Amino acid sequence: MEVKILSARFDIENGHSLAVAREHGAYATLDKLFDMEPVDVIEEVKKSGLRGRGGAGFPAGVKWSFLPKDTGKPVYLAVNSDESEPATFKDRYILVRDPHMLIEGIIICSYAIGCHQSYIYIRGEYTSQLQILQQAIDEAYEAGYLGEKVAGRDFRVDVTVHRGAGAYVCGEETALLESIEGRKGQPRSKPPFPAVVGLYGCPTIINNVQSIASLPFIIEQGADAYRAYGTEKSAGTHLFGISGHVEKPGMYELPLGLPLLEVIDKVAGGVWKGRALKGVIPGGSSTPVLTADEAKTVTLDYESMAEHGTMFGSGGIVVLDDTVDMVALVKNLIDFYHHESCGQCTPCREGLGWMLKIVKKILAGLGEKGDIELLLELCDNIEMKTVCVLSAGCTMPVRSYLNKFRHEFEAYVEGGSLKQAAEIHK
Amino acid sequence: MSDRSQLIETGKPFEFDAERNAEFERLIKRYPSRESMILPALWLTQEQQGWVSAEAIAYIADKIGTYAAKVYEAATFYTMYHLRPMGKYHICICRTLSCWLRDKQEIVDFLAEEIGIRPGEVSDDGRFSLEEVECLGHCGTAPVVQINGEFHEEMNVDKMKALLEGLE
Ligand SMILES: Cc1cc2nc3c(=O)[nH]c(=O)nc-3n(C[C@H](O)[C@H](O)[C@H](O)COP(=O)(O)O)c2cc1C
Ligand code: SF4
Ligand code: FES
């Protein structure tokens, strides 16, 4: 089931070094690229059907065409390498195994959108990863792939790595821009969208690492070759990160559209310890959970996920076996979002804290009858009433657990104590 | 989190060494606004000194040409900047979803027992500090521990024990 499109060079020894990467085709697209018109590059990317791999799945080429023309201001590109959504670890493989694919993608995107300065925003915890990436950038400068004259053409591309310092919210695109500008990572209200008013008040495109790294293949082989993988509306391949209760967790590149259960069984070795499946988080912790039953019919693409009331997200699949205590899992989730709230919206800052208190109370065996309803009501009162969707990234999944695994919450409440709740669980 | 509001004075002036200064000068050319150097300068400080002191905040503000309050704001918002000295070995353990599912708590409990500190604390001899952190982007090899920035994957109590024994 696995394919090697983005991961083609991942297993080559020293594939992160320029010499080795170049031997295996890195930067081969540049001649073709500079013979194309920028608008044609955008058209090709549109035709390829490439959708943003940061979580929202917005078509990449379409986003680029939102840039206003001839504003007299510079255009910036910010590459989102914050990768902090729980269960997401795919972009890291690109950074350390094939950073030149990312740099080549940045050159392609920069040429398409007329950008000369791009920033790679990397999460602060990625230490050795940052070193490898910076080394690759330095090599690319030395070899003339970056700098004043990219590949000898009259086109300048500068790439600067900006290191974050531990804040999930900085993955949100406007918080990321704030962070580059030297401030707290507090998201901006939209509109205006960053394509119009972004970094330093200038038109800015923000794309995920994997989105950008998909460009060399698309330009080299053409949109149709990319479309040969995946489905009509969810084209191409994706780096899936599978974690949790499976025998073989890890990162796997797969075409979009495969049946979820088959992937869990055949690619990730099935549920671990021969246990039964309880549920699956399909695309990072912000996506609503699927029950074992729902997991039977869903396929790994944007449309099927939406039909099943959840989201494709970041491709971070978490498998839950039948021993998982969903109430404790929900506490772990809310804890994360509450801790990571940037604090500027009251419903998020206070509301998530309130939800956390209630779930802790339920877990302690002190829950009351109305608590489950109160949690649901809080979800409704928080969601979409805030500047960014971090809060919804918490309430949407929490609501799904409350609805789909309600009996577990009720067991705690009715049990009145942990011990009794455990009895009811049996 | 610990109280992040109080800056600590060392009583000694702070300035970048030659290497950090060169890196500062290289980077500042890359940004159209000097304030973009606040995060990079905080990193350079932490690299050099291990943490960020009151004197360092004032130095960075002065060097960039901005208000100390702006540097302070960033230093207190971002959790990776340490506003007090950490242990010689700063141990971070991921407490989030995939690591939680794969029993990170056993390692936290072991560490608390073995080195006698709870998450958020520094040991009295200054040898260890322990922090529970959010998802470290290594969920496929959970649970994960980071010691002074270096990742250790697929951890368990035995491996953690061996790792501690291997430290100087
Ligand atoms: C709270 C929050 C965290 C996010 N974290 C990330 C992240 O770590 N990486 C990422 O690429 N996108 C993240 N996003 C999505 C970005 O805002 C943005 O949509 C994305 O980077 C756009 O790139 P794409 O169109 O190529 O996917 C996050 C969004 C939110 C609301
Ligand atoms: S929703 Fe939460 S994280 Fe997003 S801007 Fe508001 S307070 Fe900040
Ligand atoms: S959940 Fe621990 S590294 Fe992602």
Side-chain angles (χ1 to χ4, degrees):
Chain A
M1 295 176 126
E2 281 183 79
V3 290
K4 298 263 172 211
I5 302 302
L6 296 175
S7 56
R9 291 194 290 259
F10 280 11
D11 297 326
I12 299 173
E13 199 180 340
N14 282 325
H16 58 83
S17 78
L18 178 60
V20 176
R22 200 162 37 185
E23 244 172 67
H24 292 88
Y27 300 107
T29 56
L30 295 188
D31 279 337
K32 183 173 178 188
L33 174 75
F34 288 118
D35 285 343
M36 292 169 81
E37 288 299 319
V39 286
D40 297 331
V41 178
I42 298 182
E43 275 315 303
E44 196 68 20
V45 173
K46 274 189 194 165
K47 252 175 44 196
S48 76
L50 173 67
R51 297 169 66 162
R53 302 303 194 211
F58 195 82
V62 176
K63 188 194 282 195
W64 300 352
S65 52
F66 290 157
L67 284 170
K69 304 235 160 13
D70 307 318
T71 59
K73 292 179 176 173
V75 172
Y76 291 110
L77 168 66
V79 181
N80 194 340
S81 185
D82 195 51
E83 185 148 87
S84 306
E85 162 98 353
T88 311
F89 52 98
K90 63 185 176 66
D91 296 338
R92 177 169 53 88
Y93 285 85
I94 296 172
L95 300 178
V96 301
R97 303 266 181 103
D98 199 355
H100 290 288
M101 175 169 64
L102 177 62
I103 299 170
E104 189 173 354
I106 291 175
I107 298 168
I108 294 168
C109 179
S110 298
Y111 180 69
I113 64 174
C115 158
H116 300 289
Q117 173 68 67
S118 61
Y119 298 94
I120 302 176
Y121 189 92
I122 188 171
R123 62 177 302 179
E125 293 86 349
Y126 280 176
T127 47
S128 55
Q129 294 81 5
L130 165 65
Q131 269 172 19
I132 293 172
L133 174 65
Q134 186 61 52
Q135 205 175 6
I137 292 171
D138 293 347
E139 280 189 307
Y141 266 102
E142 261 167 51
Y145 291 123
L146 291 176
E148 278 303 321
K149 289 193 181 304
V150 172
R153 306 294 181 113
D154 204 11
F155 192 79
R156 175 172 73 89
V157 178
D158 278 317
V159 177
T160 304
V161 181
H162 194 86
R163 185 179 180 197
Y168 163 64
V169 71
C170 286
E172 196 282 337
E173 54 187 14
T174 58
L176 184 150
L177 301 179
E178 286 289 304
S179 188
I180 295 178
E181 291 184 19
R183 287 188 288 274
K184 292 189 277 197
Q186 291 193 321
R188 303 173 181 171
S189 9
K190 293 183 259 193
F193 288 91
V196 182
V197 183
L199 193 58
Y200 309 115
C202 301
T204 303
I205 292 297
I206 298 117
N207 272 131
N208 168 264
V209 164
Q210 192 193 166
S211 314
I212 295 290
S214 303
L215 299 174
F217 181 89
I218 292 168
I219 295 304
E220 190 186 341
Q221 311 260 337
D224 291 338
Y226 190 72
R227 283 200 159 279
Y229 299 92
T231 68
E232 173 64 25
K233 286 183 176 157
S234 297
T237 70
H238 201 289
L239 303 181
F240 288 93
I242 309 182
S243 67
H245 296 157
V246 285
E247 287 291 348
K248 294 193 295 174
M251 192 284 297
Y252 301 98
E253 181 173 12
L254 303 168
L256 295 174
L258 294 176
L260 172 64
L261 279 194
E262 225 171 288
V263 167
I264 293 175
D265 285 339
K266 294 195 179 137
V267 179
V271 182
W272 74 346
K273 301 178 182 178
R275 289 185 190 153
L277 183 70
K278 183 167 191 174
V280 182
I281 302 171
S285 64
S286 302
T287 57
V289 68
L290 295 168
T291 62
D293 237 19
E294 290 168 324
K296 285 182 189 151
T297 47
V298 78
T299 51
L300 293 173
D301 53 83
Y302 298 92
E303 289 65 40
S304 178
M305 290 294 173
E307 281 159 20
H308 285 75
T310 184
M311 287 174 305
F312 181 83
S314 61
I317 301 169
V318 189
V319 175
L320 308 171
D321 75 17
D322 59 356
T323 67
V324 176
D325 178 337
M326 293 305 208
V327 185
L329 184 146
V330 163
K331 178 199 162 268
N332 188 278
L333 270 188
I334 305 176
D335 229 340
F336 171 80
Y337 291 94
H338 177 241
H339 181 262
E340 297 301 320
S341 167
C342 84
Q344 67 176 329
C345 320
T346 311
C348 174
R349 182 189 66 238
E350 304 298 328
L352 298 185
W354 193 6
M355 285 172 65
L356 182 59
K357 264 190 205 160
I358 297 170
V359 173
K360 277 184 175 168
K361 192 177 101 178
I362 293 175
L363 268 175
L366 303 168
E368 292 160 59
K369 265 254 154 2
D371 282 344
I372 298 170
E373 294 315 319
L374 182 57
L375 280 171
L376 285 166
E377 197 183 312
L378 275 165
C379 288
D380 293 342
N381 284 332
I382 293 168
E383 204 164 302
M384 299 309 169
K385 296 183 172 64
T386 53
V387 170
C388 89
V389 292
L390 181 143
S391 57
C394 182
T395 54
M396 287 186 308
V398 167
R399 186 187 290 112
S400 74
Y401 295 95
L402 287 168
N403 288 331
K404 295 178 186 179
F405 297 94
R406 193 181 171 103
H407 53 284
E408 295 198 25
F409 291 82
E410 283 170 349
Y412 268 99
V413 172
E414 283 156 20
S417 80
L418 271 183
K419 204 166 146 246
Q420 282 169 292
E423 290 296 309
I424 295 172
H425 265 307
K426 282 183 199 159
Chain B
M1 280 307 304
S2 51
D3 178 5
R4 298 180 59 83
S5 61
Q6 186 73 51
L7 294 180
I8 299 175
E9 290 183 12
T10 62
K12 283 176 281 181
F14 175 84
E15 62 176 12
F16 285 150
D17 56 23
E19 188 190 332
R20 267 80 194 197
N21 208 48
E23 181 64 2
F24 182 93
E25 293 305 329
R26 179 186 80 84
L27 280 172
I28 199 162
K29 295 189 192 79
R30 294 302 187 87
Y31 299 100
S33 150
R34 294 182 70 86
E35 284 179 2
S36 285
M37 282 304 292
I38 291 178
L39 269 72
L42 284 164
W43 273 123
L44 290 170
T45 303
Q46 189 152 306
E47 254 176 56
Q48 181 175 323
Q49 181 176 252
W51 61 292
V52 180
S53 60
E55 287 90 349
I57 298 262
Y59 171 78
I60 292 170
D62 196 46
K63 197 167 173 67
I64 290 173
T66 185
Y67 303 106
K70 290 197 174 180
V71 183
Y72 175 79
E73 180 182 287
T76 48
F77 181 85
Y78 295 95
T79 55
M80 287 185 78
Y81 297 128
H82 305 311
L83 301 180
R84 58 189 172 132
M86 291 288 117
K88 179 179 177 197
Y89 298 106
H90 183 58
I91 306 175
C92 295
I93 173 155
C94 171
R95 72 171 182 192
T96 317
L97 193 62
S98 307
C99 292
W100 175 78
L101 287 169
R102 284 189 168 241
D103 299 327
K104 64 92 190 166
Q105 194 56 40
E106 288 177 9
I107 305 170
V108 177
D109 292 344
F110 165 75
L111 283 172
E113 173 86 2
E114 189 73 12
I115 56 184
I117 51 173
R118 302 292 317 162
E121 294 176 345
V122 185
S123 65
D124 288 338
D125 59 2
R127 201 168 144 73
F128 294 107
S129 45
L130 184 59
E131 197 179 345
E132 272 196 283
V133 296
E134 307 300 346
C135 176
L136 286 170
H138 285 64
C139 329
T141 42
V144 230
V145 170
Q146 221 182 357
I147 303 183
N148 292 351
E150 195 184 325
F151 282 100
H152 302 277
E153 304 168 57
E154 296 180 315
M155 290 301 289
N156 55 42
V157 169
D158 286 341
K159 284 171 84 173
M160 194 66 227
K161 205 182 264 174
L163 202 58
L164 284 184
E165 279 162 12
L167 297 176
E168 284 169 25

